[in-house]
Amino acid sequence: GAVVSQHPSWVICKSGTSVKIECRSLDFQATTMFWYRQFPKQSLMLMATSNEGSKATYEQGVEKDKFLINHASLTLSTLTVTSAHPEDSSFYICSARPLDRDYGYTFGSGTRLTVV
Amino acid sequence: AQSVTQLGSHVSVSEGALVLLRCNYSSSVPPYLFWYVQYPNQGLQLLLKYTSAATLVKGINGFEAEFKKSETSFHLTKPSAHMSDAAEYFCAVSDGGRIYFGSGTKLNVKP
């Protein structure tokens, strides 16, 4: 149980376009989902906390107008990279936790974004 | 505030040798501690977690970790390394809300 599906697994887009990444909890509900970014050879960096039915909470230094997060239901959060640039190329991972647990995050398989 | 420090960005061991990956945490409340493994171009996989039960935690693939409050450590060990253990390992701490990761340790296993 506690499966998180992330889609797409990889995407290539042109500079200036927008890309949407989906994070779905398949067999549980999650009021909170987290979005991380991983640069090559570096650790995960928490970008934002996605809250169902309310605005996301962004970490310091993360542009909320560039990384739009929508958490419209208890099983889906989306991250949209707007007006993408090559420096946005990275590995994006989401995570979530079932409502009835206070530990044990499940991570999606990640999305490799390449902006050309 | 929560944080973790992983000592050694790269660790190299011979196949069959002991694996020891170090993690020290900082937490203002009793922490939840985790070890994750990441294979290239894949998401994280949970190896094991500490949630204030037994201090010696056994995980998957023969890994285990011991929570030592006096040393604020949660080191990951495996008695005998296998080639398939070559990956990047992340220690993480949570206060029940957000989760914070260490910088990762890349494990290389030599034949």
Side-chain angles (χ1 to χ4, degrees):
Chain A
V3 177
V4 171
S5 173
Q6 197 171 331
H7 178 80
S9 56
W10 61 270
V11 58
I12 301 174
C13 71
K14 292 185 177 181
S15 287
T17 62
S18 296
V19 174
K20 180 184 286 188
I21 303 170
E22 292 187 348
C23 180
R24 292 182 185 272
S25 55
L26 297 185
D27 52 359
F28 66 96
Q29 294 181 328
T31 55
T32 302
M33 292 185 177
F34 301 92
W35 287 97
Y36 296 85
R37 181 174 182 178
Q38 185 182 33
F39 292 101
K41 301 182 180 180
Q42 295 186 30
S43 182
L44 292 174
M45 181 191 75
L46 178 64
M47 297 176 66
T49 303
S50 172
N51 303 298
E52 187 267 337
S54 65
K55 292 183 179 180
T57 304
Y58 290 83
E59 295 299 301
Q60 191 173 8
V62 178
E63 299 175 61
K64 58 183 178 183
D65 294 330
K66 180 166 189 60
F67 298 100
L68 299 179
I69 291 174
N70 183 278
H71 194 151
S73 77
L74 288 172
T75 59
L76 173 64
S77 174
T78 60
L79 169 68
T80 301
V81 183
T82 63
S83 187
H85 291 283
E87 56 265 31
D88 298 325
S89 299
S90 190
F91 195 54
Y92 294 87
I93 301 177
C94 69
S95 75
R97 183 181 66 205
L99 292 175
D100 59 351
R101 292 188 200 170
D102 58 359
Y103 61 86
Y105 294 89
T106 299
F107 287 81
S109 56
T111 298
R112 171 71 63 192
L113 170 63
T114 302
V115 184
V116 298
Chain B
Q2 329 298 326
S3 67
V4 289
T5 302
Q6 289 183 242
L7 297 176
S9 58
H10 288 82
V11 170
S12 187
V13 300
S14 297
E15 192 173 18
L18 171 71
V19 175
L20 171 61
L21 304 182
R22 299 178 185 276
C23 172
N24 288 88
Y25 70 91
S26 171
S27 176
S28 56
V29 298
Y32 296 134
L33 294 160
F34 309 85
W35 274 100
Y36 290 88
V37 60
Q38 186 181 30
Y39 296 99
N41 293 315
Q42 295 186 29
L44 294 176
Q45 180 183 5
L46 179 66
L47 279 177
L48 50 81
K49 59 181 181 286
Y50 167 77
T51 57
S52 73
T55 56
L56 182 62
V57 182
K58 294 186 183 297
I60 62 172
N61 301 339
F63 285 94
E64 61 182 37
E66 186 173 7
F67 173 71
K68 291 187 176 180
K69 185 176 180 180
S70 61
E71 299 178 6
T72 60
S73 68
F74 191 59
H75 303 329
L76 181 70
T77 61
K78 182 174 180 177
S80 177
H82 192 272
M83 295 299 291
S84 61
D85 295 327
E88 188 151 15
Y89 293 79
F90 293 91
C91 181
V93 63
S94 171
D95 57 4
R98 303 187 309 184
I99 188 168
Y100 300 87
F101 289 87
S103 54
T105 298
K106 192 164 189 178
L107 176 65
N108 179 46
V109 181
K110 299 175 292 185

